[in-house]
Amino acid sequence: MDYAATLEDALARIAAVQDLGALEGLRVEFLGKQGSISGLLKTLGAMSAEQRQTTGPQIHALREGVTAALAERKAALESAALEARLASETIDLTLPAPAAPRGSVHPVSQVMDELAEIFADMGFAVATGPEIEDDWHNFTALNIPESHPARAMHDTFYFPDKDAEGRAMLLRTHTSPVQIRAMLDVVKQDPGGAPIRIIAPGRVYRSDSDATHTPMFHQVEGLVIDKGIHLGHLKWTLETFLKAFFERDDIVLRLRPSYFPFTEPSVEVDVGFAIVNGKRVLGGSGDAPGHGWMELLGSGMVNRKVIAAGGLDPDEWQGFAFGAGIDRLAMLKYGMDDLRAFFDGDVRWNAHYGFNPNDVPTLSGGVGTAA
Ligand code: PHE
């Protein structure tokens, strides 16, 4: 057999190959398990010693020559492919920059961030609870009896099926069930109880719809549980929060007796405003001439029955709670007048009222700088 001619023939075929797939085909044809050169190597075993001495080196030279030629051709084809890719993937640096991203932070998200920032400074953690609740957490544990009008079908969205424990399932109508969950969580970790300071912002649902009511809206709950807590702590906390939130030192509050099943006593909190150019501007006493009071949120001392439902001893632990509408806080601070537009998803509204994602609210830098 003429090994030199075989080598020459193989090298010519390798040199002629134009792509990596075909080259791999040749490698298999020559050097694969069933390959022609592999076959030649196998014949060495059956040869006499003298024959092997002359033929062996020729076959090995053939194999090495083909192996080297394959490697060299492979490297050449790969670098040609890379060159072609680099040539086709050029960037024209003289083109104008792409338009700046136009996404913005929704006012509800912005206000939630502002609330977390302000209350974190007063030692409050942010807690959450499920939007799909059971009627025990949403009503019963909060001292809202079966006959209470808030339980009526026209206010509450109920699910058709009960849960595994036989409780009616619903979309929570307020963030107050998070009070119960926060207390039960603390008792689970520490059966004797421990102080709690949380805010719980989130979505709530009521079957209601007009210019100031949407079936889904946002509330923030506040809960403080400790020993010796009284109404003064509640008033100071709300005053400090509202001054920081509205970025005004002249915010004046009026506490009015009210009723909520889960607080005793209950207080409705009004904030004083002035009429400036026909618009209400928060600040100052509502009793001054040309001023008025605006209802802002509900609050009170946590009812003993609610503390007990949370697993704590009401003789030992007291607390206050409050609940405020986040959408309403946003409207008052940033001047929108129709609540429904909040949830229409119109990009023009979002562009107008939205916030720059890079403007993270901080107490030092300001908690509300419009984009
Ligand atoms: N949960 C009440 C509501 O939705 C608000 C509230 C919360 C009142 C906590 C008192 C204390 O109207």
Side-chain angles (χ1 to χ4, degrees):
M1 180 163 183
D2 187 347
Y3 297 112
T6 308
L7 176 59
E8 213 163 292
D9 182 53
L11 293 184
R13 290 183 60 199
I14 290 168
V17 146
Q18 287 308 324
D19 68 86
L20 287 163
L23 187 68
E24 173 63 8
L26 280 186
R27 188 194 65 78
V28 172
E29 183 185 329
F30 296 137
L31 302 172
K33 258 201 185 133
Q34 316 289 329
S36 54
I37 297 174
S38 309
L40 290 174
L41 282 163
K42 280 177 210 152
T43 62
L44 288 173
M47 289 179 190
S48 65
E50 305 85 69
Q51 211 180 352
R52 199 179 301 135
Q53 239 172 20
T54 53
T55 315
Q58 287 179 295
I59 296 179
H60 281 293
L62 171 60
R63 192 188 62 172
E64 268 151 40
V66 167
T67 304
L70 283 169
E72 199 182 308
R73 187 74 190 131
K74 188 172 182 213
L77 287 175
E78 277 174 350
S79 81
L82 181 61
E83 289 298 333
R85 222 182 107 195
L86 287 175
S88 72
E89 287 182 2
T90 53
I91 319 172
D92 184 351
L93 293 174
T94 64
L95 287 173
R102 286 194 296 165
S104 61
V105 175
H106 194 282
V108 170
S109 302
Q110 174 76 15
V111 168
M112 284 186 176
D113 289 347
E114 293 175 17
L115 295 170
E117 174 69 11
I118 293 168
F119 278 101
D121 196 52
M122 293 193 269
F124 286 65
V126 173
T128 55
E131 290 168 31
I132 297 175
E133 262 295 6
D134 58 68
D135 69 346
W136 186 81
H137 285 91
N138 195 78
F139 292 132
T140 314
L142 289 163
N143 191 36
I144 304 176
E146 295 273 356
S147 56
H148 196 282
R151 283 208 183 196
M153 292 297 290
H154 68 269
D155 269 328
T156 308
F157 292 112
Y158 282 95
F159 287 88
D161 300 321
K162 295 188 185 312
D163 75 354
E165 284 151 82
R167 292 173 176 172
M169 298 301 287
L170 46 81
L171 292 174
R172 66 178 180 187
T173 58
H174 51 178
T175 42
S176 298
V178 185
Q179 290 186 32
I180 303 296
R181 293 184 175 276
M183 287 188 270
L184 292 173
D185 275 354
V186 154
V187 171
K188 208 188 283 172
Q189 287 180 28
D190 189 344
I196 298 172
R197 258 181 286 177
I198 53 146
I199 58 164
R203 295 190 181 104
V204 300
Y205 303 83
R206 287 181 205 175
S207 178
D208 213 348
S209 190
D210 59 38
T212 51
H213 297 87
T214 47
M216 185 283 297
F217 58 106
H218 299 84
Q219 282 190 336
V220 60
E221 195 80 9
L223 175 70
V224 167
I225 296 284
D226 210 326
K227 296 179 180 177
I229 295 293
H230 54 73
L231 266 182
H233 294 122
L234 168 63
K235 190 177 183 203
W236 179 86
T237 304
L238 291 177
E239 230 164 50
T240 305
F241 151 54
L242 292 168
K243 282 179 179 173
F245 180 73
F246 289 112
E247 297 179 290
R248 297 184 67 114
D249 274 337
D250 62 347
I251 295 288
V252 179
L253 300 187
R254 180 175 76 173
L255 271 54
R256 231 172 348 99
S258 183
Y259 174 77
F260 297 103
F262 31 90
T263 46
E264 182 57 38
S266 301
V267 282
E268 204 95 48
V269 176
D270 299 338
V271 60
F273 64 85
I275 306 222
V276 180
N277 296 330
K279 277 200 134 192
R280 293 173 166 197
V281 177
L282 296 191
S285 164
D287 291 330
H291 287 231
W293 294 107
M294 183 186 326
E295 191 180 310
L296 200 59
L297 53 89
S299 64
M301 301 306 295
V302 183
N303 192 304
R304 290 174 60 85
K305 292 184 191 168
V306 174
I307 292 192
L312 295 168
D313 178 357
D315 286 329
E316 205 181 329
W317 300 97
Q318 298 80 42
F320 66 77
F322 59 87
I326 290 178
D327 316 289
R328 190 164 143 70
L329 287 173
M331 289 168 86
L332 281 172
K333 184 166 176 180
Y334 296 115
M336 309 81 163
D337 49 21
D338 190 338
L339 177 64
R340 286 169 295 197
F342 272 61
F343 311 118
D344 281 347
D346 186 327
V347 290
R348 292 166 302 180
W349 188 90
N350 287 341
H352 183 78
Y353 288 111
F355 291 82
N356 186 334
N358 297 320
D359 265 351
V360 178
T362 60
L363 283 179
S364 53
V367 283
T369 315

